Amino acid sequence: MKKITTLLLLLVAALILVVAPAYADEEALIDIYPYGSINNMTETEPIAGGTLRVGTSNWTLDFLGYRYHFVRSSVRYGHQFVDANADGVFEATEYPGVSYSAFAAMTINNTEDEMELVTTNLRANITGGVTNRIYAYFNEDMELAMFEDHIFTYHIFNDGTDVTDNADWRFATEAEIDAFKAAADPLTETPNTRLAHVRVVKDTTDAQGYKLEPLGYLTWLNPDLGALPAEERSLLVDWNPNHVVIPAGWTAVSFGQHDRGSYKATDFVKVLYTAFVAETTPVAVSTYTYQNPVFAGLTAHDDDAVTPGVQMIVEYNQADFDLPNNVSVSWLKMFEDDVLVNKTEKLSYKVDVYETADFNSAEEDHVPTILETITFTYDSVADAYTPDKALSVVDSSVFGAGYTAVYSATHAEDGLTEIIVDIAVGVLPPRFENVKNRYVDESVFVDLLGDVTANDGYGNDKTGDIKITAPAGFNIYNPKPGTYKIDLEFTHHVHIAGEPTVPDRITLGSKVIDVTRKNQNFTAYGLETTLYTEPFLYTNTSFQGWIVVEFDKDGKMIQSVARNTWEAWGASGAIAGMSDAGIKAWLEGIDFSLGGFVVFFGQTADRPLAQALRYGDQVTFTEGSIGTPDFNADIVTKASYNLTVDDKTAPQTIVVNNNLTIEADAFASAEAAILSNIVAVDNYDARTQLSLFVLNNGGLSLASGKLSVGTYTVTVGVEDRAGNASEVTYTLTVKAAKPTQEEVDQKVDDKVEDVEAQIPQDTITPDQVEEAIKDALDSYDGVSVLTAVLMSLGAALVSFGGAALLFFLKKK
């Protein structure tokens, strides 16, 4: 019976302390790459010395805070396994291998049947000839259902009465581990505790939630069952423990040598066992990252093996050029309705055709115009592509014309692939390189060519032929702010030598002679008459009886030698002393680029006619011997870019009045008052394009519609559109606003009664009151009139009726 005791609870608690740090939020997942670097999974990024480019399978496994990235060809699927001999198990010859056994391999059983992978070499054949020492099995819910490790060790404790039929192994508690470590003789002092390799199986019926048994070092067998045959040496599995069994819907992951090294994978492997004792069951997530569609067949139509990319050359004046119909595109469809299918499907695609110059334009916000779109629809039944129309926009009559065809395909998982193909008439079009919009500072010399280069389309430099055109008035030594269109142009001359007029038959006198054209070294002789139009090596001198004659492009005899008699004739008549060495030097020195040709007349009836030829004698061409003229064409290539000269000059801030004084009611806001004294100008932006703002108002505020009276030191900033800014400080004085007549009258009305009460009755005459008011109005502000009246009257106040005073006040 299982011992469900406080000891077990302590065990679980202790293990939770170990597990907790391993779990992490999604954002904190620790990535595990081969050799510790994602670069090793790429095709071009630099990698560390001594490591390999192992590519990627595009699969990852997220578990216990880690994300494992599987290398190329390391993920296999159950439907790929074929039981060829129908024996109910899979041998190494019946399923795909793995490319790199030093890294983890993942096998996904996407079939409806259990898969048993057999071995005769401790599973080495299962993982490419090298044994993976650690296996993790995830069930259909991606929970860790079984774990095997015969390389790392774990402290385990047996609650059972023996180590065979009645064994009850579990992971040891911290206390049990400490006791084991402290024991002088662990075997006798702590006989139920071991440091061992393990096999763990998830078991929801067990109180612990799992079952465990020890394994031997580098063996999948339980060492306590040594008396049993190998195929029975396990307490937990009912198959040969050396085999790998993957139930339907399960996923098995095995870890290789590099996963036990220094590349973070070791940390992952060492916490896998904690999934069996966690408070909540962790769930792994396997993810496939879809790849973009892949085109096939395009490179077969590349007419220029030297230039990178794909270039299709259209023959000048070719009338029937069309896009090839044997280009295909496909994608790997991994899932269908959430079911793993892992199958390749072909896709339809389209081709957008542009003028190359328009497509490559670097002008700002330029959108090239599509001249034509052709859709290639895939028919899965016929396994063929059908275009919706023929290509019609390529004008083969314009030598050097260039077009850009963009092949594009998409798939249902947001995949997109675009391949750019150059289409050129006659020759690859000359091209600019590195034409792009540029940004420079004002007032600094600018090289308008910059990094731009040009070539003839075949890599030959034409940069020196570039002509640059800038807008009128643009000064490269002192450029002013703005955006300028810079035009580039160069002309490339194409010369294609024509085919000279060379006879297929020649007429000597009245005799027509058929000739055999040859363009290789002269190595033997025969009876036929042979004609050469290209340089050759004279390698055989034993041709007694031959007559060799050189003609110019018009068929006029230049020189001849009769090998049988050593007679030779040239422009000056007979040539004496001819030898084989002389013949060899003569023939190998002929410049065939001038259109001439050489005829070897063999031992036939034609020889006497040829031997009789002298300098200037004419050979007549027969019909069908017409060559082709030289071809010459100028290809003008244009491009342009936008040059933006950055404004680096700060706007100027001008204070109109350095000691401005305003009345409190002159402005509706403190900001308006401060900015009213500023004028800003810039070398590029108009005044309306400048931004004015108050940086420091000095404490100036607005209350009851009036500015606060006082003297303030204020600072104003100005900024142009390029972000250049300046600031200025000045002093602003605010004085009290003059009262309005309405305000004066209201004050008088409000104070009348007070004034009347303060004037003693019958002590002053009306004339004295009137005089006092007059003096006050002449000397003081209106709001102080009443006080001034009293002060003017002074001690002269006499008793006077209040009503009289009120009369005078109101009158005034």
Side-chain angles (χ1 to χ4, degrees):
M1 180 179 292
K2 307 298 181 186
K3 296 180 180 178
I4 304 189
T5 63
T6 303
L7 182 63
L8 179 59
L9 298 177
L10 290 174
L11 166 68
V12 176
L15 285 174
I16 290 173
L17 294 177
V18 177
V19 175
Y23 294 121
D25 296 334
E26 170 68 22
E27 294 78 7
L29 285 174
I30 299 171
D31 286 293
I32 302 173
Y33 297 111
Y35 300 107
S37 173
I38 191 175
N39 287 3
N40 290 78
M41 308 187 85
T42 69
E43 296 297 329
T44 58
E45 295 301 317
I47 61 176
T51 65
L52 299 174
R53 291 193 185 278
V54 292
T56 176
S57 66
N58 304 307
W59 278 97
T60 58
L61 179 75
D62 298 355
F63 194 52
L64 300 180
Y66 292 86
R67 173 170 290 160
Y68 193 100
H69 296 256
F70 292 88
V71 303
R72 179 176 55 243
S73 301
S74 64
V75 179
R76 299 174 293 190
Y77 314 95
H79 72 272
Q80 297 174 326
F81 290 50
V82 179
D83 184 8
N85 58 8
D87 61 355
V89 296
F90 297 99
E91 300 173 5
T93 57
E94 297 176 329
Y95 52 80
V98 295
S99 298
Y100 303 98
S101 59
F103 297 103
M106 182 164 67
T107 302
I108 303 172
N109 185 358
N110 61 326
T111 72
E112 298 180 354
D113 301 312
E114 180 180 270
M115 298 167 48
E116 183 173 356
L117 283 57
V118 301
T119 178
T120 57
N121 53 7
L122 299 178
R123 303 186 185 178
N125 60 297
I126 296 176
T127 50
V130 178
T131 301
N132 284 3
R133 306 294 182 182
I134 301 163
Y135 274 75
Y137 302 80
F138 297 88
N139 62 25
E140 62 274 9
D141 296 321
M142 290 304 287
E143 300 168 344
L144 187 58
M146 186 165 75
F147 175 68
E148 299 172 307
D149 184 351
H150 68 193
I151 191 80
F152 294 120
T153 54
Y154 307 81
H155 287 93
I156 61 176
F157 188 89
N158 186 12
D159 286 324
T161 57
D162 57 43
V163 295
T164 56
D165 294 339
N166 298 306
D168 185 17
W169 292 99
R170 58 172 171 78
F171 291 108
T173 66
E174 290 297 320
E176 291 163 348
I177 295 172
D178 291 342
F180 177 82
K181 291 179 178 179
D185 184 5
L187 189 61
T188 58
E189 296 179 40
T190 58
N192 290 347
T193 305
R194 284 189 199 177
L195 184 62
H197 314 289
V198 298
R199 174 181 288 117
V200 192
V201 176
K202 181 180 178 64
D203 186 349
T204 57
T205 66
D206 189 275
Q208 296 173 151
Y210 66 90
K211 292 182 182 295
L212 181 152
E213 67 176 335
L215 297 180
Y217 177 58
L218 301 187
T219 175
W220 307 108
L221 308 180
N222 186 330
D224 298 327
L225 306 178
L228 298 175
E231 60 269 19
E232 299 178 14
R233 289 177 59 181
S234 173
L235 295 172
L236 303 181
V237 300
D238 58 2
W239 58 82
N240 186 333
N242 285 323
H243 295 180
V244 171
V245 174
I246 310 173
W250 283 35
T251 297
V253 179
S254 61
F255 295 91
Q257 176 184 345
H258 286 327
D259 298 319
R260 309 190 304 270
S262 57
Y263 305 114
K264 294 183 182 178
T266 303
D267 297 335
F268 177 38
V269 170
K270 286 187 174 181
V271 299
L272 286 173
Y273 80 98
T274 63
F276 294 97
V277 296
E279 284 187 311
T280 57
T281 302
V283 176
V285 177
S286 58
T287 303
Y288 176 76
T289 301
Y290 278 94
Q291 302 305 290
N292 289 330
V294 177
F295 279 92
L298 268 176
T299 55
H301 300 281
D302 184 12
D303 295 322
D304 178 34
V306 177
T307 305
V310 177
Q311 289 80 34
M312 297 180 185
I313 307 300
V314 182
E315 186 177 343
Y316 180 49
N317 283 326
Q318 178 179 346
D320 57 351
F321 176 78
D322 201 356
L323 295 176
N325 199 33
N326 59 350
V327 174
S328 65
V329 61
S330 61
W331 74 303
L332 181 60
K333 186 175 185 178
M334 188 60 64
F335 293 93
E336 188 171 59
D337 298 328
D338 295 329
V339 176
L340 193 152
V341 292
N342 184 38
K343 62 182 180 181
T344 299
E345 286 187 345
K346 288 187 177 180
L347 303 167
S348 298
Y349 63 91
K350 70 172 183 176
V351 183
D352 293 325
V353 183
Y354 307 79
E355 283 188 346
T356 296
D358 181 41
F359 183 80
N360 293 331
S361 174
E363 293 184 39
E364 189 173 4
D365 299 326
H366 175 74
V367 178
T369 300
I370 299 176
L371 301 179
E372 189 170 30
T373 297
I374 301 173
T375 300
F376 286 80
T377 302
Y378 177 68
D379 182 347
S380 59
V381 176
D383 188 25
Y385 284 88
T386 303
D388 62 346
K389 57 185 172 181
L391 179 66
S392 63
V393 296
V394 172
D395 187 354
S396 63
S397 67
V398 180
F399 189 87
Y403 302 86
T404 297
V406 179
Y407 282 71
S408 63
T410 62
H411 64 58
E413 298 296 331
D414 297 327
L416 169 64
T417 295
E418 292 183 337
I419 304 293
I420 295 177
V421 174
D422 293 321
I423 300 176
V425 177
V427 294
L428 288 179
R431 66 186 66 196
F432 284 99
E433 304 286 352
N434 300 317
V435 177
K436 52 183 178 292
N437 294 330
R438 297 173 56 195
Y439 298 86
V440 298
D441 293 342
E442 67 169 311
S443 304
V444 177
F445 169 78
V446 55
D447 176 7
L448 295 181
L449 188 61
D451 296 331
V452 174
T453 61
N455 63 73
D456 64 355
Y458 293 88
N460 300 306
D461 186 58
K462 300 288 292 184
T463 306
D465 296 338
I466 297 176
K467 296 180 180 179
I468 305 172
T469 304
F474 182 84
N475 186 346
I476 61 173
Y477 300 100
N478 186 26
K480 298 303 180 183
T483 299
Y484 305 90
K485 181 184 177 184
I486 307 301
D487 294 319
L488 308 172
E489 178 182 313
F490 74 96
T491 299
H492 173 57
H493 180 74
V494 177
H495 170 77
I496 300 176
E499 292 291 334
T501 301
V502 179
D504 293 315
R505 291 179 295 170
I506 58 176
T507 301
L508 289 177
S510 61
K511 185 174 184 179
V512 176
I513 304 173
D514 291 326
V515 296
T516 301
R517 295 192 187 194
K518 289 190 177 181
N519 292 303
Q520 66 273 5
N521 298 339
F522 179 82
T523 58
Y525 67 91
L527 297 178
E528 75 273 14
T529 300
T530 308
L531 183 146
Y532 289 83
T533 59
E534 295 180 4
F536 59 92
L537 295 176
Y538 179 70
T539 59
N540 190 324
T541 59
S542 59
F543 62 105
Q544 295 87 347
W546 282 75
I547 308 298
V548 186
V549 185
E550 176 189 356
F551 297 92
D552 68 10
K553 64 183 180 63
D554 298 318
K556 184 177 71 173
M557 184 274 205
I558 303 297
Q559 183 173 324
S560 69
V561 174
R563 178 64 176 75
N564 59 331
T565 62
W566 295 109
E567 292 179 280
W569 302 90
S572 59
I575 302 174
M578 183 58 66
S579 64
D580 280 331
I583 295 175
K584 179 179 177 63
W586 161 49
L587 294 177
E588 293 184 358
I590 294 174
D591 183 2
F592 284 93
S593 67
L594 301 177
F597 55 96
V598 171
V599 179
F600 284 77
F601 293 90
Q603 297 181 29
T604 67
D606 305 327
R607 185 174 61 184
L609 294 173
Q611 195 166 0
L613 288 170
R614 297 294 182 266
Y615 180 80
D617 287 350
Q618 187 73 39
V619 172
T620 304
F621 297 159
T622 60
E623 186 178 354
S625 302
I626 300 174
T628 58
D630 289 351
F631 180 85
N632 291 279
D634 285 334
I635 303 176
V636 179
T637 303
K638 299 181 179 181
S640 63
Y641 69 89
N642 288 329
L643 176 70
T644 299
V645 180
D646 289 334
D647 181 3
K648 294 295 183 180
T649 302
Q652 185 178 1
T653 311
I654 302 172
V655 178
V656 178
N657 186 343
N658 284 317
N659 293 289
L660 177 64
T661 299
I662 61 174
E663 295 183 348
D665 62 350
F667 295 92
S669 69
E671 181 181 47
I674 295 170
L675 296 181
S676 69
N677 195 33
I678 298 298
V679 175
V681 294
D682 188 63
N683 68 324
Y684 179 60
D685 290 343
R687 290 188 182 183
T688 57
Q689 296 172 320
L690 301 176
S691 298
L692 283 167
F693 45 88
V694 176
L695 292 171
N696 182 9
N697 63 13
L700 178 63
S701 61
L702 184 73
S704 301
K706 293 184 180 180
L707 299 172
S708 54
V709 177
T711 299
Y712 307 94
T713 300
V714 298
T715 303
V716 174
V718 62
E719 183 175 327
D720 62 20
R721 290 180 297 171
N724 304 303
S726 64
E727 60 183 59
V728 68
T729 300
Y730 73 94
T731 301
L732 172 63
T733 300
V734 180
K735 68 177 182 179
K738 294 180 180 178
T740 64
Q741 185 61 46
E742 291 77 7
E743 290 175 327
V744 172
D745 291 343
Q746 184 62 44
K747 287 290 185 180
V748 170
D749 291 340
D750 292 343
K751 295 299 183 177
V752 164
E753 293 183 2
D754 292 339
V755 173
E756 184 178 25
Q758 295 178 45
I759 299 177
Q761 295 184 1
D762 302 325
T763 59
I764 190 169
T765 66
D767 291 338
Q768 290 175 310
V769 173
E770 184 173 3
E771 186 64 27
I773 292 173
K774 180 176 180 299
D775 292 340
L777 292 174
D778 291 340
S779 303
Y780 299 93
D781 291 337
V783 295
S784 303
V785 170
L786 299 180
T787 302
V789 168
L790 296 177
M791 292 175 63
S792 297
L793 293 176
L797 289 173
V798 294
S799 178
F800 188 78
L805 177 60
L806 178 61
F807 169 77
F808 280 103
L809 289 174
K810 288 186 175 181
K811 179 179 179 182
K812 292 297 179 182

